[in-house]
Amino acid sequence: MFKVNENYQKLPGSYLFSTIAKKVSAFAEANPEKDIIRLGIGDVTQPLAPAVIEAMHKAVDEMGKAETFHGYAPDLGYEFLRNAIAKHDYQQRGCDIAPDEIFVSDGAKSDSANIQEIFGADNKIAVCDPVYPVYVDSNVMSGRTGVYDAKTETWSDVIYMPCTMENGFVPEFPKQTPDMIYLCLPNNPTGTTITRGQLQEWVDYANKVGAVIIYDGAYEAYISEQDVAHSIYECQGARTCAIELKSFSKNAGFTGVRLGYTVIPKELKCKDVSLHGMWARRHGTKFNGAPYIVQRAGEATYSKEGKAQLKEQVAYYMKNASVIKEGLIEAGYTVFGGVNAPYIWLKTPGQMSSWEFFDYLLERANVVGTPGSGFGPSGEGYFRLTAFGSRENTLAAIERVKKL
């Protein structure tokens, strides 16, 4: 008889945001008259920028003519997009990244899960706690995390790096030596980040112990402070220890369009084995490329008009972040984030657990957020709100919270 991957059976419950969706759906069904405002999942609400729409329309027309039709995309992605990424995201920032070190994909979420396929099952992973759930869950599926302890909500073979109010939500070097280190900066869910100098220390540490850093830079466009790196490759030595994941979802509103990329420098090796070559093999075998229309849309984000329009959208969401943060502080909450990232991380009031506060907000204010415990044990007692709603809904939600 056939057998299943038993590692999937180890996963506790359903995916965090699936659980939230079910709870909200049940509440809405039981209370059809309630106007629910969703500030939970990190999905954008503003329409695609005009420059992006124009590029997509043009690409659609090209696909309708035999002489300009495009079939399968090149393995790494179209050269026009990889050239634009290399120039604007890296070379203009002084980062030595070539177009053929960039792999275009359908998003950073996919890549953050798939990247672990090129690493051995006995690698020890280190994650920030709290953490984006995909990093841990995808490693569970691969049998890399050991045994789950329901009481502590931790895995025996995972190295947790607590990010708490006491250490400013900044990870510290682990006592155990990891093989793979996941860093998401600016951070999801806490909204905090580290300085360029602090990031350099992580690069130096990884090179010293022989670890690889999986660096998720999905929120890079929201950085507002000067001493924060926009790429890990701004640090010396990163080319020999770091893989960077980037997304068009949050900076360009591509959550429903799907586009991202992964950078693997050619110097990054395990002994004599090239990780660049391994990922190229995996990419070519398992992925047929992001659509031509979508890649043209991605290229448009680097045009003069596209950059200006995206800057306005980022500013819109960060204004929402300011509204949420100031409103919560006024209401007496202890609040973090909202400066270099579109997430607000708040301490739950009194002795409320994260899920108790979720139910409290949903039932009393009809506002949806994300329980901090869903991101890891150190997230207990905290709660995440996103700035990706409309201005009208954001203002309304905060007014409701103030009245509680």
Side-chain angles (χ1 to χ4, degrees):
M1 185 178 178
F2 68 86
K3 295 179 176 63
V4 299
N5 181 347
E6 293 292 343
N7 293 310
Y8 277 67
Q9 308 310 307
K10 298 177 182 178
L11 289 165
S14 60
Y15 182 56
L16 171 62
F17 296 105
S18 299
T19 301
I20 290 172
K22 290 175 184 175
K23 288 177 74 75
V24 174
S25 179
F27 179 82
E29 189 174 337
N31 302 273
E33 76 285 359
K34 301 292 187 182
D35 176 27
I36 300 172
I37 299 177
R38 292 169 170 81
L39 299 181
I41 193 168
D43 196 3
V44 296
T45 54
Q46 294 303 293
L48 295 172
V52 170
I53 292 296
E54 183 181 348
M56 293 181 80
H57 280 305
K58 183 179 178 182
V60 168
D61 290 338
E62 289 180 42
M63 295 294 281
K65 300 174 184 177
E67 59 272 22
T68 52
F69 173 79
H70 292 266
Y72 291 126
D75 283 355
L76 271 67
Y78 284 101
E79 193 172 333
F80 61 77
L81 178 56
R82 289 186 290 108
N83 285 341
I85 292 169
K87 177 183 177 181
H88 295 277
D89 287 351
Y90 294 101
Q91 293 163 7
Q92 289 185 354
R93 293 191 176 119
C95 303
D96 181 23
I97 296 297
D100 65 355
E101 294 176 314
I102 296 165
F103 297 81
V104 176
S105 70
D106 61 352
K109 179 178 181 179
S110 301
D111 284 355
S112 67
N114 293 332
I115 195 68
Q116 46 80 27
E117 288 186 24
I118 66 174
F119 296 97
D122 57 350
N123 278 298
K124 182 81 73 172
I125 71 166
V127 297
C128 295
D129 174 29
V131 69
Y132 182 45
V134 173
Y135 307 153
V136 174
D137 287 0
S138 61
N139 277 282
V140 173
M141 294 171 179
S142 298
R144 196 177 283 118
T145 55
V147 179
Y148 183 69
D149 185 334
K151 289 183 179 179
T152 61
E153 297 183 328
T154 59
W155 294 89
S156 61
D157 291 345
V158 173
I159 299 171
Y160 292 89
M161 302 182 291
C163 298
T164 64
M165 186 164 59
E166 287 71 28
N167 64 13
F169 302 101
V170 173
E172 299 171 358
F173 298 136
K175 294 178 181 177
Q176 290 179 269
T177 302
D179 301 301
M180 300 163 61
I181 303 167
Y182 285 82
L183 293 179
C184 175
L185 298 166
N187 185 257
N188 175 19
T190 66
T192 56
T193 193
I194 61 178
T195 66
R196 187 177 286 102
Q198 289 173 309
L199 184 58
Q200 180 66 60
E201 291 177 2
W202 277 100
V203 169
D204 294 341
Y205 171 79
N207 277 318
K208 179 182 177 181
V209 303
V212 62
I213 296 174
I214 311 297
Y215 190 81
D216 186 346
Y219 302 95
E220 169 271 321
Y222 293 85
I223 293 172
S224 62
E225 295 180 318
Q226 290 296 314
D227 194 26
V228 177
H230 287 258
S231 166
I232 196 169
Y233 300 115
E234 292 178 35
C235 298
Q236 282 191 323
R239 287 183 59 86
T240 57
C241 71
I243 294 173
E244 185 162 280
L245 315 176
K246 286 285 186 72
S247 169
F248 288 80
S249 288
K250 304 307 194 298
N251 69 320
F254 278 30
T255 54
V257 178
R258 308 309 305 150
L259 188 66
Y261 64 86
T262 288
V263 177
I264 304 185
K266 292 178 180 176
E267 286 97 317
L268 184 51
K269 296 180 179 181
C270 178
K271 297 181 180 178
D272 294 329
V273 179
S274 165
L275 270 64
H276 179 279
M278 289 185 70
W279 186 245
R281 186 69 171 87
R282 190 265 172 207
H283 210 58
T285 300
K286 293 192 174 185
F287 186 63
N288 265 336
Y292 172 75
I293 296 166
V294 174
Q295 293 198 46
R296 280 297 185 191
E299 179 192 31
T301 66
Y302 295 102
S303 68
K304 182 179 179 180
E305 297 78 13
K307 282 185 174 182
Q309 291 160 10
L310 264 56
K311 188 175 181 180
E312 288 183 8
Q313 286 198 354
V314 167
Y316 178 92
Y317 292 129
M318 289 310 290
K319 175 60 178 176
N320 282 351
S322 178
V323 166
I324 296 171
K325 187 168 188 174
E326 291 173 8
L328 290 174
I329 291 173
E330 185 179 332
Y333 289 88
T334 301
V335 187
F336 310 91
V339 176
N340 294 298
Y343 293 120
I344 303 299
W345 187 245
L346 62 130
K347 194 85 176 68
T348 56
Q351 299 301 312
M352 272 194 193
S353 72
S354 298
W355 279 106
E356 286 172 344
F357 189 63
F358 173 89
D359 292 333
Y360 176 74
L361 269 192
L362 179 59
E363 294 167 7
R364 297 282 297 276
N366 309 143
V367 172
V368 179
T370 308
S373 60
F375 297 101
S378 290
E380 181 54 80
Y382 293 91
F383 202 77
R384 191 193 77 173
L385 292 174
T386 84
F388 287 122
S390 67
R391 183 66 44 73
E392 179 184 18
N393 280 347
T394 299
L395 289 167
I398 295 307
E399 286 305 310
R400 293 182 189 179
V401 173
K402 285 181 180 180
K403 293 177 182 177
L404 292 176

